[in-house]
Amino acid sequence: MSTVLGGELPVNVINKTLYVPVLTGCNNKGEVSLEEAIQTALCEARTVFVAGHEGSGKTTTLEMLFMNGIKGQQLQKFTHVFYFRGGDLNSLEDPISFKAFLQKGRRLPQTGPITNSEEVLFIFDDLDKCAHNLNPSVHLCSDQDQPTTVSCLVTSLLCGSLTPGASILATTKTTPTLDFVTRVRLDLLGFLKPQRDAFFRKFFTDPVTAKNALQHFETTLGFYDVSKSPRFCWTVCSIYSCLLDSGAKLPDTLTQLFVHILSHLMEKTPHKKDAMQNTVIALGNLASDCAIGSQVNFQRDKLVAFGLLSDLLLHEFVHADGEPGNAVYSWHSQLMQEFILAVSFFVDPTSETVESFVEKHKRHTTFLDVFMAGLCEQGNRTSLEEFLGSLNQEKILDFKNGLMKRCEKTLRGFNKEDHCRCFHLLYQLQSENVVKEVITPSARLGLSYGDLRLVDYVALNFVAMQLGEMEQLNLYRTSCLTEEMAEILAPTIAVSRELILKQCSFENGAVTHLASALHKGITEGLDLSYSCLNNEQFQSLCTGLSNCKLQSLDLSSCELTETSCEHLVPALSSNTSQLTVLSLFGNDIGDQGLKSLCEALRSPHNKVQELQLHLCRLTAASMKHLSTVLSSGHSKLLKVNLSRNEVGDTGVQALAKGLQHPLCKLQSLSLSDCELTEACCPALMEALMSKYCPLREMDLAVNEFGQEGALMLCNALKTPGCLIEKLGLVRCDLTEVVFVELAALLKRGSPPLKCLSVGLNKVGDQGVHHLWGALKHPSCVLEELDVEMTDLTDACVEDMCAAIKSSKTLKKLEVHNNSITNVSVPALIKVMQDSPNMEEMNVKYNDFGDEMFDIFETCKKIRY
């Protein structure tokens, strides 16, 4: 019998050409039609199993194969084909002979006896509905003339002991009870978008109606896994057709859809409200019993127990497979089973609490709380209450209040799966007020929501749209952001202030949606670091950068090239660009790439103030272009990081010319690990001594300046008006003589050095002693000092503590990776506890014993 939930009968589907081949994933060969996959598999293997959920097209496919076999169009390999349905096997009585068994099945027209078992095919549809024990360890037989039990006979056929060489084609839901059979397994994917499109076009004769119905389906329900089920598509199209004919609004959520389905089914049955309520309660009791018992199939006695056997509505919800006396029953739809369960709770006048009801079923259901949440909103249940009367308001209020408390508590936590569940519940409610009430400032919406399902992103997008604005959307480590996902999330991206897409990969179409969302939205920060962007994707991204509110863009290690920089130029040069921070760290853009960027940086419209170019395969060849940028009146650059590039002495000489230009605005320059030597120091000295040099921060770490080069830099820093506040000279081959000059600079208070890093210069206690003395000087304004790995010992601790006590400005001290031992721990603890201005001392990786850790724990300002 054809029903809304059960789908159209296979023969009708085939005759009306509504059938579209479902897809299967088989041995990583991609997506092929199920008929093709079965035909191929039967040529390669004796036993083929097709596994798929309810309504996925298994039976329809077998019917089509069988009908085509009758016409001689398929299955030509086999002279004899026998077709059995799993439920029909239950009506067979023991004992039974093999010959009698064959008479019970449908068969292709054939003549003559079986002479070659290799030309025989047995088809078992819905084998999981067979109630007989199919365990080969219990019974197998090989004598075709000996009557035996149905269990033994079917098991022997499956295992090949009864008809060696015969082929088996069986369909089943995924079930461990049949794992003993060596077989090829085809897993159904169901309808993907192309198949759904074809199905809707065939169902609705009017092309415009079909297009509109499909578009609505895809945007409201197409993201659910169940949307791949042909049966579900049939159900949706049937309900859409009724609603369109009556001029009603199509449903926006799963709850609204099932409200319409249940209302449609009840409208067909002449029950009064009381009788309808009793039926729904009885169906709910059946649904609960099946769910808690994990029963997919059940017997007639269960219907009798719940008073449903003769109910006129029963066949609309439950399918009977087999002859009446031995039929196996199952729900047409697991979704409807859970929906009925939710409705019955709100209809049932008994006093079971919401908490106990939900707790009892939570491990056995998937959508129960989702449906209950949807039913809490009055507008979602109006049509249902026309047939059932008002649902229990007290239970609804209890559930709604509990839901809001649950969501508020969950969203303060750090579990993204729990967050998603709350988003789904709020989505079903469709209430802006509830969303805004639940999501308080304490909600941690900054969690990484990477690698969620499409359906989760739909719910997240709904929440974001109700809020109107999000501080951050974090999709960190999304393994593949598909075009479909990006399309769903585009509105959320547009209302997010910060977007984190670190370590992500993308489909090309996804980047197009991202660019469009940036163009339309309010996003100010975008982190794409360590994400793989091919040339096409990056070019697409740049189209959205020309006219957006983005202020910070992190493209670190995105496999960009010099061509990528060419794509960036129009965006950076646009008069609508707001970008002030750009990071290209770890990309092989090379000199040609920087040359292209410099073209944009000279534009009067460019607003970039911070440029991160460390590890970008740059050489001295591109430094003259950057120097020209610094000299141009249009450059806004305040901070440039060139670390870990082969800039060399020649490159620094070119940069130095720009640094002393009157129009230069650069305040921070990092040249760490740039293969510099003493040879570049005269040019640097000249730049620092210029009255126009605006530098306040300079990092020259990991270069081979040596004593003479460093002394030249110190002399330059003595220049009146020098602005340097932060200086990095880590691992620069400095000597004690240089430390004497640095100490003198600190005592002068000019330049106003606030941060000095001189670690990894092995000058020992004697060298660093000069800095401890400088810290005591009243003119010293140093706030941070790094002397890591300078060969300090316990001998320096007394001077160090005296310096800390005397200094009025020092806040942070790095002395890790030295040789200070346990004997100095009490002094370190005391000086940090007594110092009002010291915030942190790092003493990690010194020669402390484990027994000192408990003592260090008494002072939270020490990192050990």
Side-chain angles (χ1 to χ4, degrees), residues 272-389:
K272 293 182 179 180
K273 284 185 180 179
D274 290 346
M276 196 67 79
Q277 287 178 359
N278 291 334
T279 294
V280 167
I281 292 171
L283 285 168
N285 291 332
L286 173 64
S288 175
D289 187 80
C290 291
I292 293 173
S294 299
Q295 293 176 304
V296 176
N297 304 313
F298 50 92
Q299 306 296 321
R300 183 174 182 272
D301 58 346
K302 201 172 288 291
L303 298 179
V304 174
F306 292 111
L308 284 166
L309 189 60
S310 60
D311 196 287
L312 297 177
L313 262 178
L314 180 65
H315 82 278
E316 302 286 1
F317 300 96
V318 172
H319 171 67
D321 197 0
E323 297 179 5
N326 296 290
V328 173
Y329 296 87
S330 60
W331 289 86
H332 284 308
S333 163
Q334 184 180 348
L335 280 174
M336 177 53 84
Q337 177 186 344
E338 294 191 20
F339 181 72
I340 282 285
L341 184 56
V343 173
S344 68
F345 175 74
F346 289 133
V347 170
D348 195 340
T350 58
S351 57
E352 183 177 12
T353 66
V354 169
E355 184 178 0
S356 66
F357 178 78
V358 172
E359 180 65 27
K360 182 169 64 177
H361 295 95
K362 72 177 183 180
R363 292 180 180 84
H364 309 286
T365 58
T366 304
F367 287 92
L368 178 60
D369 57 347
V370 168
F371 286 135
M372 293 178 76
L375 290 170
C376 285
E377 197 65 18
Q378 178 63 53
N380 292 343
R381 62 178 190 265
T382 301
S383 62
L384 208 57
E385 292 184 328
E386 292 179 10
F387 300 95
L388 296 173

Side-chain angles (χ1 to χ4, degrees), residues 636-707:
K636 309 295 190 304
L637 282 176
L638 300 177
K639 183 174 183 177
V640 174
N641 188 341
L642 293 166
S643 300
R644 301 173 70 186
N645 288 295
E646 297 177 12
V647 173
D649 297 329
T650 308
V652 170
Q653 290 163 4
L655 282 175
K657 295 178 181 178
L659 290 173
Q660 49 195 306
H661 195 280
L663 296 177
C664 180
K665 304 179 183 67
L666 195 68
Q667 296 182 8
S668 176
L669 176 63
S670 179
L671 292 165
S672 173
D673 196 10
C674 284
E675 302 186 6
L676 308 184
T677 69
E678 178 186 334
C680 75
C681 290
L684 270 179
M685 183 172 68
E686 183 181 355
L688 291 171
M689 293 176 69
S690 168
K691 64 178 181 179
Y692 298 115
C693 182
L695 281 182
R696 294 178 180 274
E697 300 180 3
M698 186 165 60
D699 186 3
L700 300 170
V702 196
N703 288 296
E704 297 179 359
F705 294 127
Q707 178 173 295

Side-chain angles (χ1 to χ4, degrees), residues 626-849:
L626 183 55
S627 184
T628 303
V629 170
L630 298 178
S631 305
S632 71
H634 298 306
S635 171
K636 309 295 190 304
L637 282 176
L638 300 177
K639 183 174 183 177
V640 174
N641 188 341
L642 293 166
S643 300
R644 301 173 70 186
N645 288 295
E646 297 177 12
V647 173
D649 297 329
T650 308
V652 170
Q653 290 163 4
L655 282 175
K657 295 178 181 178
L659 290 173
Q660 49 195 306
H661 195 280
L663 296 177
C664 180
K665 304 179 183 67
L666 195 68
Q667 296 182 8
S668 176
L669 176 63
S670 179
L671 292 165
S672 173
D673 196 10
C674 284
E675 302 186 6
L676 308 184
T677 69
E678 178 186 334
C680 75
C681 290
L684 270 179
M685 183 172 68
E686 183 181 355
L688 291 171
M689 293 176 69
S690 168
K691 64 178 181 179
Y692 298 115
C693 182
L695 281 182
R696 294 178 180 274
E697 300 180 3
M698 186 165 60
D699 186 3
L700 300 170
V702 196
N703 288 296
E704 297 179 359
F705 294 127
Q707 178 173 295
E708 296 307 314
L711 289 176
M712 278 190 269
L713 294 176
C714 289
N715 287 331
L717 294 174
K718 294 177 184 178
T719 306
C722 181
L723 303 174
I724 295 294
E725 298 178 353
K726 186 174 182 178
L727 179 62
L729 292 170
V730 172
R731 212 181 82 182
C732 286
D733 297 335
L734 305 186
T735 64
E736 182 180 347
V737 174
V738 177
F739 273 65
V740 170
E741 288 301 312
L742 290 172
L745 287 173
L746 293 175
K747 291 176 182 179
R748 285 164 54 97
S750 175
L753 276 173
K754 295 181 179 179
C755 182
L756 178 62
S757 299
V758 288
L760 281 79
N761 291 291
K762 297 185 180 298
V763 293
D765 295 332
Q766 186 59 38
V768 179
H769 168 77
H770 302 287
L771 299 184
W772 303 139
L775 282 170
K776 300 175 186 178
H777 199 281
S779 297
C780 178
V781 294
L782 199 66
E783 297 178 0
E784 298 181 20
L785 176 60
D786 181 355
V787 287
E788 173 196 5
M789 206 179 292
T790 51
D791 287 349
L792 299 180
T793 69
D794 293 320
C796 80
V797 173
E798 183 177 350
D799 285 341
M800 180 173 67
C801 291
I804 293 173
K805 289 177 183 177
S806 299
S807 173
K808 305 299 182 187
T809 58
L810 192 65
K811 297 178 180 178
K812 294 184 179 180
L813 179 60
E814 297 281 345
V815 290
H816 53 297
N817 282 306
N818 283 292
S819 301
I820 303 172
T821 69
N822 292 359
V823 299
S824 297
V825 171
L828 297 177
I829 296 287
K830 180 170 175 46
V831 74
M832 289 300 290
Q833 289 175 336
D834 293 345
S835 175
N837 47 287
M838 279 294 289
E839 297 174 357
E840 181 181 292
M841 177 192 290
N842 186 350
V843 298
K844 288 184 176 181
Y845 312 120
N846 277 276
D847 294 337
F848 302 124

Side-chain angles (χ1 to χ4, degrees), residues 3-5 239 260-269 276 313 316-317 336:
T3 69
V4 169
L5 287 173
I239 293 302
H260 284 301
I261 294 172
L262 184 54
S263 299
H264 171 78
L265 296 177
M266 291 190 296
E267 187 178 23
K268 294 167 56 178
T269 308
M276 196 67 79
L313 262 178
E316 302 286 1
F317 300 96
M336 177 53 84

Side-chain angles (χ1 to χ4, degrees), residues 74-100:
Q74 289 179 315
L75 304 177
Q76 297 97 327
K77 172 185 175 182
F78 302 102
T79 58
H80 294 75
V81 178
F82 301 93
Y83 190 124
F84 297 89
R85 298 185 64 195
D88 292 337
L89 298 176
N90 300 325
S91 61
L92 302 182
E93 296 182 358
D94 297 334
I96 187 171
S97 68
F98 179 62
K99 182 177 181 180

